[in-house]
Every structure is written in C-alpha cells, then in structure tokens.
Amino acid sequence: MSDAFPVFDVLIAGGGNAAMCAALSARESGATVLVAECAPQHMRAGNSRHARNFRCMHASPTSVLTDAYTEEEYFSDLLKVTAGHTNEELARLAIRSSPECFAWMQQHGVRFQPSLAGTLHLGRTNAFFLGGGKALVNTYYAIAEQLGVRVLYNAEVTALRVCGGRFESATITTDGSPIEIRAKALVAASGGFEANIEWLSEAWGHAAMNFIIRGTPYNRGKILRLLLDHGADQVVDPSQFHAIALDARAPKFDGGIVTRLDTLPLGIVVNQRGQRFYDEGEDLWPKRYAIWGRLIAQQPDQIAYSIVDSKTAGLVMPSAFPAMQARTIRELAGLLPLPADALEATVAEFNRSVVDGSFDHTLLDNCHTRGLSPDKTHWALKLDSPPFYGYPLRPGITFTYLGVKVNRYGQVVMKDGRPSPNIFAAGEIMAGNILGQGYVAGIGMTIGTVFGRIAGQGAASATR
C-alpha cells in the first residue's frame, strides 16, 4: 500500500449530499476522513447536483417556510404515498431531526431562498436551496477541504474486505490502478443502481430499455451489490424506485429537473392507444408527481402523452422542449403521433363528463368528471380551447429503493440480524427503509442529510 494512503479513521464511499454530511460530521467528531467519489470532479455529488429542496418539519413560520408543518402531518403525507410501506421508527427519526438539520445546514453555509407560491404547493413544507443542489454540495466540499477531509475523484470502490460483518479495507480503482485503502469504519453513501440498465432489466425486463435516467450516470450500484454479497440484509424489491414523468425527448442520462413536465394535472394523459389510464387530479403535485413514472412504465412501450389546451397551458413552469401545438385534436394526434379517431373519442368523452366547478390549480378544487373510468377528481376542465398542446412522456428514474437495512444509528444490519460494528449507510442506498414505495417531494434530501450526519458521527465513534 502506498505511503500516500495511511489508515484513515473513516472511508466515505460516495460524494453526494449524504456522503458530504457524513464526511463533515465525522471530521468534526475528530476522525480522519477519506471520500471516494467515483465521478470526475466536474460531475461530483451524484443526484444531489439536481436536488432543489429539503422537506422540513416546523412548528411556526420561518424565514423561508410559511405557517406550520407538524410531525403528524409530515408522517401522514409519507404514509399516503408509501401505503404504509415504511419503517415508522426511522421515518419519524428523519422527520423529527429535520429542524435540527435545517439549522445545521445554515451553520455550514447553505443558503435558502424565500418560500415559493403557485402550482408546486411547497411554500409551507419545503425549503429551497439558493443556487440549487450544486451550490449546496459545493459549499460542503469547500468546508471539507478547509477541515482536512481528503477527496479522491474517479475513484470507484471495486471490492470490499468484510470479515464477520466488520469492514477491514476497500479496493479503490483510480486512474486504472487498484489501491487498497484501510479504514476503521466505512460509510456507504454511494446512491442506488438506477444507472445500471442491466440490473433494472432484472426487475423490469425489456421495459427498462425505455427508461430515462434523470440523474447521474455513475450510480450503478457497485457498493450496494458488494454489501449484499457480504451479508448485508436488504430492504424493498428491485422494482421500486422514485420515478416521474419526463419529456420523452430528454437525454438518456443526467437531464435533471428541467426535463420534468408539470402539465399532467391540468389536462389529460393518454397512452399510445389514445386512452386515459389514471386520475390526473388525484392529489396536489408534490404528493403525487412521483407516481407517474411507474404508471407510464406499466403502459405499452413505456410511452404516454400529456395534452392540455390554451386555458391552462400557461399555469406551469415552461418545459425544456417545446410542446407539439395544433388547432385541432386530430391535428395534434398526427404530431404526437397517436391514433386520431381514438384520441378524438377520448377527448369528447372526457369533455362530456366534466362537472362545472370553481377551478383553482393551487388547491384541491371541485372541478371533476362523472361517469368516466377512471374519473378525474380535481382540476377537470374541458379540452375545448385551441390551440392544443401535447408532450410525449417517458418514465424518468431518479433513484432506486432496493437498499441495505439500517438501524436508528445508521449501522448496516446483516442477514443474521446483527448490526455491523463499523459499516454505516446514508442516502439513497438506505432510503428504502423509509420509502418502501412512492415519494413525497424533498424527503430524499431529508433522509440523506439526517442519516448522513448520523452515519458520520457513528463511524467516528466506531473508530474509538
């Protein structure tokens, strides 16, 4: 082993938000820390580069959040999207720790912007980073450098030595050369396996070939696979993920937040047969936007289309790619392309079923349909005001939920039920403990921050 790499107290595998929270917490607890980031420096931080906000419990208004957001309401929102598939102890730990983490982030230089209004419905629940996720992680990296945290880029962990559930060393390949790194504790914060199309195909078959990976191409699940092979217990089946509706014209990898489409609740969504298949108005966008990736993944050829008219087209954030625009539904069908007769029939049936009400896209209004299957429960307006706009949709995968089981101390639990004394996990690689299915906006950053800090402190303690 090279003299350039002494025995570190804590090795962090990963370089995103959870990893850097762990690195800073371990270093501030007195440990020496090495961060192994498999991406090059300009692509560092995984999906955290694309993050925007942090879901936070609070008892009263803050400088960037309105009203109050209680523990019980937060947990209720989580239960709705997960259908109860969550570890309540860990979920409540994340929720209760979020105000402390919010203060910790500010103390470490993270800046937030004033609360938002409009179709996102997040001004009360989510604090938005000024400058986005990239500004957040750049801030953490700058502080880590000042504190003496060492960072290796293009450094992929390709092997682990684990004996009896205890971590001993890791083989890291950097610049084509393998190096053995010994450390007293390991924090796995390396994301999921969403960029590994072959692994996705094991769960989804050929459909995975039509998925778009909206985040980093470097999250291929290597550390996850190694930990499972070394006896870590797993949570959630491989088919579960955080996936949204993306513009089908987005790049295969790393398109980020700008490729998302927010038009879905304001019109209708049809599959390639021109048929609706789900209630577009089921709930407010932050609680339901993440169901659409999975819904589209279950449609023929994993493709769908969002259609709105001129009444609502200007109520959402502009799309990265221009909409297909036409004066008639038949003309729009030809542009998308969709079977014209079927689409005209779907729109006509939808229009006949609309029950007039008071339209308000900022709340759960009383505009709905009657007699359809499925009905649209909110924001139902007739599609009768040209021009008509259409967008092609694909499943956009953010991160996978298959992960390692952890306890409240962030320790990885082995298949024999015992926690590892010196292997910890944080972020996407363990988020499935809380997110058995579904997603609520901003909770990924909450889980990463809370358990990043817990894992970093725990790893530092394990070295003593």
Side-chain angles (χ1 to χ4, degrees):
M1 185 174 63
S2 169
D3 292 339
F5 294 97
V7 176
F8 287 87
D9 289 330
V10 179
L11 170 63
I12 313 284
N17 170 65
M20 296 312 295
C21 288
L24 293 175
S25 297
R27 185 72 189 102
E28 290 170 347
S29 297
T32 57
V33 179
L34 174 68
V35 173
E37 163 62 282
C38 69
Q41 185 170 358
H42 72 280
M43 292 282 284
R44 69 186 182 188
N47 291 334
S48 300
R49 292 183 298 114
H50 299 299
R52 297 193 301 161
N53 57 75
F54 174 89
R55 183 169 284 255
C56 187
M57 180 186 93
H58 55 106
S60 58
T62 74
S63 59
V64 297
L65 292 166
T66 62
D67 301 324
Y69 189 46
T70 66
E71 175 185 337
E72 290 308 317
E73 185 181 2
Y74 197 149
F75 186 63
S76 175
D77 287 343
L78 179 64
L79 283 182
K80 287 178 184 177
V81 298
T82 62
H85 297 293
T86 186
N87 180 315
E88 182 171 352
E89 179 190 19
L90 300 184
R92 288 191 180 274
L93 174 60
I95 292 168
R96 291 168 183 162
S97 300
S98 60
E100 177 188 345
C101 285
F102 179 74
W104 183 87
M105 295 163 83
Q106 290 181 307
Q107 291 164 7
H108 286 76
V110 177
R111 299 175 64 190
F112 294 88
Q113 66 186 51
S115 61
L116 299 178
T119 56
L120 285 174
H121 315 101
L122 293 172
R124 187 171 62 88
T125 59
N126 291 48
F128 278 70
F129 312 127
L130 185 63
K134 197 164 187 177
L136 175 138
V137 293
N138 285 347
T139 298
Y140 287 161
Y141 272 95
I143 296 174
E145 182 179 3
Q146 295 169 10
L147 293 177
V149 172
R150 184 162 183 179
V151 179
L152 290 180
Y153 296 106
N154 298 301
E156 182 181 17
V157 176
T158 52
L160 295 176
R161 182 181 172 123
V162 178
C163 297
R166 176 180 287 275
F167 168 76
E168 294 187 355
S169 67
T171 300
I172 294 178
T173 300
T174 179
D175 297 325
S177 300
I179 304 168
E180 184 183 21
I181 301 292
R182 288 188 293 145
K184 299 175 184 177
L186 169 71
V187 176
S190 53
F193 67 91
E194 63 274 3
N196 189 330
I197 305 300
E198 295 79 10
W199 196 345
L200 287 174
S201 297
E202 293 178 16
W204 283 89
H206 182 74
M209 301 301 167
N210 289 324
F211 296 168
I212 293 173
I213 314 307
R214 63 193 293 238
T216 178
Y218 292 94
N219 280 9
R220 295 184 53 80
K222 184 67 174 181
I223 300 294
L224 174 59
R225 182 75 82 182
L226 289 171
L227 287 174
L228 295 177
D229 288 346
H230 280 289
D233 201 1
Q234 77 174 52
V235 292
V236 189
D237 74 81
S239 71
Q240 293 292 340
F241 45 47
H242 170 16
I244 68 169
L246 285 192
D247 195 302
R249 297 163 290 182
K252 182 68 173 179
F253 293 98
D254 216 44
I257 191 70
V258 299
T259 58
R260 191 180 86 186
L261 285 170
D262 296 332
T263 57
L264 283 66
L266 300 179
I268 63 171
V269 178
V270 299
N271 58 24
Q272 66 175 9
R273 301 186 183 114
Q275 300 168 338
R276 291 177 63 249
F277 53 90
Y278 199 78
D279 176 6
E280 302 90 346
E282 183 177 37
D283 206 337
L284 296 173
W285 189 239
K287 300 176 185 177
R288 289 295 173 185
Y289 77 104
I291 66 171
W292 281 95
R294 192 175 192 87
L295 289 169
I296 296 169
Q298 295 167 339
Q299 295 305 304
D301 293 333
Q302 297 71 55
I303 189 82
Y305 302 86
S306 171
I307 298 172
V308 298
D309 69 7
S310 61
K311 293 193 300 294
T312 59
L315 296 179
V316 296
M317 293 181 291
S319 59
F321 301 91
M324 306 294 186
Q325 180 176 337
R327 297 297 302 175
T328 67
I329 292 295
R330 177 167 287 273
E331 181 186 353
L332 185 64
L335 295 175
L336 286 174
L338 287 168
D341 290 345
L343 184 60
E344 282 189 325
T346 294
V347 172
E349 183 183 21
F350 176 82
N351 287 348
R352 286 193 299 269
S353 72
V354 170
V355 177
D356 290 336
S358 299
F359 175 79
D360 188 339
H361 67 287
T362 67
L363 50 80
L364 296 175
D365 69 9
N366 62 352
C367 293
H368 62 282
T369 64
R370 182 181 297 136
L372 286 181
S373 181
D375 269 316
K376 184 174 181 180
T377 51
H378 303 286
W379 313 303
L381 295 177
K382 293 180 180 180
L383 291 169
D384 59 4
S385 301
F388 301 97
Y389 302 92
Y391 301 86
L393 307 171
R394 289 281 190 195
I397 314 302
T398 307
F399 65 92
T400 47
Y401 289 173
L402 173 69
V404 293
K405 186 176 183 179
V406 300
N407 61 18
R408 64 179 292 108
Y409 306 107
Q411 293 170 289
V412 172
V413 178
M414 310 306 285
K415 289 177 182 176
D416 61 9
R418 293 184 296 179
S420 169
N422 69 342
I423 304 176
F424 299 80
E428 293 175 7
I429 199 170
M430 52 67 60
N433 288 270
I434 296 172
L435 294 167
Q437 67 179 56
Y439 191 75
V440 61
I443 198 170
M445 290 297 285
T446 305
I447 295 170
T449 305
V450 170
F451 280 92
R453 295 182 66 212
I454 288 173
Q457 293 163 1
S461 295
T463 67
R464 298 191 290 270

